[in-house]
Amino acid sequence: MTPTPTHTELRSADQPSADLPTQDLPTTDLSDLYPDAQVLLPLLTDYGGRPRFTGTAVTLRVHEHNPLVRAALETPGEGRVLVVDGGGSLNCALLGGLLGDLAVQNGWAGVIVHGCVRDTAELRCLPLGVRALAAHPRRSGKAMQGEQNVSVTFAGVTIRPGDRLHADEDGIVVLPA
């Protein structure tokens, strides 16, 4: 039986096609097809019940307070990915089971946190992609502070609102809007 060629074998890396359905490709193929694409350094751990997810980035920058995270997840997700730059803080969690439930109810594909999450057993049961630096039992502060729809930089990449994120077991690839 002849093996099915991969998407990478079907298209050369120096000639990507705009009609290629990137949402269906593994990050390895995307990385091959788009050698200039940004790839997050392998610093984030998978905490969600959905290891593969794709969506348009919505960005936040917060520090140890998560009301903006809640406010974003209360809006229709429409298959998007919330990217939360928590400054890499390991002092408290910015996302937990309740906000994970909220994300699922409102149609978010995933949440990427440059910081911590909690309620990891609950997050693992949700059909939601969740990546974060670590788990931490302490909840965040509740001050409404931070920035929305800004470029965020962590894990060696800059993510802009509207960029397309592709995550799977091999990593996270960022394709520009």
Side-chain angles (χ1 to χ4, degrees):
M1 190 152 98
T2 307
T4 304
T6 66
H7 288 100
T8 303
E9 293 168 336
L10 294 173
R11 300 198 186 263
S12 105
D14 48 320
Q15 293 183 357
S17 171
D19 64 347
L20 185 66
T22 58
Q23 71 274 9
D24 296 331
L25 293 178
T27 59
T28 52
D29 286 350
L30 286 170
S31 178
D32 292 347
L33 283 167
Y34 300 97
D36 293 333
Q38 297 186 92
V39 178
L40 274 73
L41 294 173
L43 306 174
L44 304 176
T45 300
D46 180 6
Y47 291 101
R50 190 173 167 198
R52 298 176 185 182
F53 59 97
T54 296
T56 302
V58 173
T59 61
L60 297 175
R61 183 180 298 121
V62 300
H63 184 70
E64 299 182 2
H65 293 269
N66 76 350
L68 285 179
V69 176
R70 173 181 285 282
L73 295 175
E74 287 175 337
T75 66
E78 300 170 339
R80 296 176 295 171
V81 176
L82 182 63
V83 180
V84 181
D85 182 359
S89 173
L90 301 177
N91 295 323
C92 64
L94 296 172
L95 177 83
L98 292 176
L99 292 186
D101 280 334
L102 189 60
V104 170
Q105 290 169 20
N106 287 314
W108 290 84
V111 182
I112 296 173
V113 181
H114 184 228
C116 296
V117 297
R118 68 187 210 160
D119 303 322
T120 59
E122 293 174 41
L123 293 174
R124 181 75 57 209
C125 294
L126 296 175
L128 179 71
V130 178
R131 302 288 170 90
L133 288 174
H136 197 295
R138 181 164 288 128
R139 69 179 176 188
S140 73
K142 300 304 174 196
M144 183 65 88
Q145 59 187 28
E147 298 173 272
Q148 304 172 46
N149 298 315
V150 295
S151 295
V152 295
T153 302
F154 60 88
V157 305
T158 297
I159 301 170
R160 292 166 184 78
D163 284 349
R164 191 85 176 146
L165 301 176
H166 300 266
D168 65 17
E169 297 85 350
D170 291 316
I172 303 171
V173 173
V174 181
L175 297 178

